[in-house]
Amino acid sequence: MSSATKTLALLSHFSADRPEIGLSQLCRIAGRDKATTYRHLQALEMAGFVEQNPITKHYRLGPAILQLAQVREATVPRKLGAQLPLSQLADVTGETAHVSVVSGTTLYALASCESPRHGTRAVIDITTFPLHATASGHCALAFGPDTLLEAALSQMKRFTPHTATTAEALHDLISNARATGFGCSDRSFEAEIHSLSAPLYDQTGLFAGAVSVASVATRVSPEQEQLIKTELIRASRDITRNWGGQLPVNVTSAWASGSSLHYETDSTP
């Protein structure tokens, strides 16, 4: 990686669960030496991308990130276009609904909505989705750019006994996603969670992300799975339209082939 890439990559280690990071801790997380990490942090601090807490001396994201986020959402309104369909999806299915967006070879969490119907429910507390182990990732591999597969095969960490850790197993999951139009993760990222996912497209006509429903696995009956898939189709259609995109024929044909699903043709350009 170039020096600029290594510098900017440090930003990915900050999250809601880890809003502040000390220099030594960041060295361990990033796997870099102290002098290099400090030099990169200084560059980020000068640009306003990080700042030091004056009390703890730990680093946190800086105000420039907020400005860029506002510009991004104003010019590419992803969250706004996903909010209502996501809320409706969580309400009808009774489970946690979430949307992810792809950038480069990484699938980022964009927004999530938890249903209040169950006391025990899936919580989306990660910032990026492992491509090989999540329904969103399988969806991205099935309908996204070919570069994603190489990235997935290079990072096949085992999260549960059900995680795909071989190229053959992953190819089977990708083939199933292409055939059905849905990514599926059955306890492969978290031991008690079953997830289904549908692809999203934007004005470029290319895969832009995924909309998903994450359920407690024991609640996913055949009837519930059918309901989730039906509502995922609706949400995918609505979000894609809001993002200025159109669903491709290979996806709508895959959905239509599921004769037990209630499918509505999307004729909106």
Side-chain angles (χ1 to χ4, degrees):
M1 291 191 293
S2 68
S3 179
T5 302
K6 290 180 180 178
T7 300
L8 292 172
L10 291 178
L11 298 174
S12 66
H13 298 298
F14 294 90
S15 67
D17 292 330
R18 192 165 54 200
E20 294 190 2
I21 310 176
L23 175 58
S24 297
Q25 182 186 11
L26 189 56
C27 291
R28 291 194 299 271
I29 295 170
R32 304 181 193 175
D33 64 83
K34 198 166 188 177
T36 301
T37 303
Y38 180 63
R39 186 173 69 252
H40 290 166
L41 283 170
Q42 282 185 307
L44 291 171
E45 190 172 15
M46 288 181 63
F49 293 144
V50 300
E51 63 184 12
Q52 266 191 303
N53 184 321
I55 298 175
T56 65
K57 302 302 181 183
H58 289 178
Y59 291 90
R60 62 193 180 194
L61 295 178
I65 296 292
L66 177 60
Q67 179 189 11
L68 291 175
Q70 291 172 337
V71 172
R72 162 73 182 187
E73 186 60 24
T75 56
V76 188
R78 291 288 189 256
K79 272 193 174 182
L80 182 63
Q83 283 175 346
L84 181 57
L86 203 57
S87 176
Q88 294 172 335
L89 181 60
D91 183 55
V92 175
T93 62
E95 301 291 351
T96 297
H98 62 95
V99 167
S100 54
V101 291
V102 68
S103 180
T105 57
T106 303
L107 196 59
Y108 294 95
L110 176 71
S112 66
C113 183
E114 297 177 19
S115 170
R117 192 180 305 177
H118 301 288
T120 303
R121 53 186 180 268
V123 176
I124 308 303
D125 56 1
I126 57 175
T127 56
T128 61
F129 292 88
L131 294 170
H132 71 293
T134 61
S136 302
H138 299 162
C139 211
L141 292 171
F143 303 107
D146 294 339
T147 52
L148 293 177
L149 181 57
E150 183 178 350
L153 292 173
S154 68
Q155 302 180 54
M156 297 191 70
K157 176 182 176 181
R158 181 182 294 277
F159 294 100
T160 77
H162 300 279
T163 305
T165 56
T166 67
E168 181 180 7
L170 186 57
H171 279 296
D172 287 344
L173 292 168
I174 295 171
S175 296
N176 181 71
R178 286 175 178 156
T180 63
F182 300 101
C184 180
S185 167
D186 187 6
R187 295 165 294 174
S188 60
F189 180 58
E190 294 182 272
E192 304 300 326
I193 300 299
H194 178 284
S195 296
L196 287 163
S197 180
L200 301 171
Y201 294 80
D202 63 14
Q203 76 284 354
T204 66
L206 302 175
F207 174 85
V211 57
S212 309
V213 172
S215 313
V216 174
T218 54
R219 287 203 291 264
V220 184
S221 63
E223 294 76 17
Q224 176 69 358
E225 181 172 335
Q226 178 176 315
L227 171 65
I228 290 172
K229 287 182 175 180
T230 298
E231 293 306 315
L232 278 174
I233 290 173
R234 192 186 311 277
S236 174
R237 184 186 65 234
D238 291 345
I239 296 172
T240 291
R241 182 188 298 118
N242 291 344
W243 287 2
Q246 184 174 6
L247 294 168
V249 173
N250 63 318
V251 173
T252 57
S253 296
W255 288 341
S257 67
S259 58
S260 62
L261 294 178
H262 171 63
Y263 175 72
E264 297 176 14
T265 302
D266 182 10
S267 57
T268 304

